[in-house]
Amino acid sequence: MHADIHLQLHQLHAAELHREAAATAPRTHGPALRIQLGWRLVELGLRLATPAHGRPVTLAA
């Protein structure tokens, strides 16, 4: 088989696989929701890590 024909067949097959993958891919808006949830968890963690009433945190008593 000539290299040019092999390359054309490969390109056709790859295009077909791309079309199939696009047709079966889930249509969700997950990344935006995931990012918002992640930032909310970061904000909550920072609030929990901040000492109440401005007192410094002491680790050793």
Side-chain angles (χ1 to χ4, degrees), residues 17-43:
L17 289 175
H18 282 287
R19 281 192 301 273
E20 287 178 13
T24 60
R27 305 278 185 206
T28 62
H29 299 290
L33 179 61
R34 191 183 314 174
I35 291 170
Q36 289 178 359
L37 179 61
W39 280 114
R40 295 291 180 206
L41 289 173
V42 168
E43 182 181 358

Side-chain angles (χ1 to χ4, degrees), residues 1-58:
M1 184 180 290
H2 293 285
D4 294 337
I5 295 173
H6 180 72
L7 180 60
Q8 287 177 351
L9 288 174
H10 174 71
Q11 289 173 343
L12 288 172
H13 185 64
E16 181 180 341
L17 289 175
H18 282 287
R19 281 192 301 273
E20 287 178 13
T24 60
R27 305 278 185 206
T28 62
H29 299 290
L33 179 61
R34 191 183 314 174
I35 291 170
Q36 289 178 359
L37 179 61
W39 280 114
R40 295 291 180 206
L41 289 173
V42 168
E43 182 181 358
L44 177 64
L46 289 173
R47 286 184 185 190
L48 291 173
T50 304
H53 306 293
R55 293 179 300 197
V57 175
T58 56

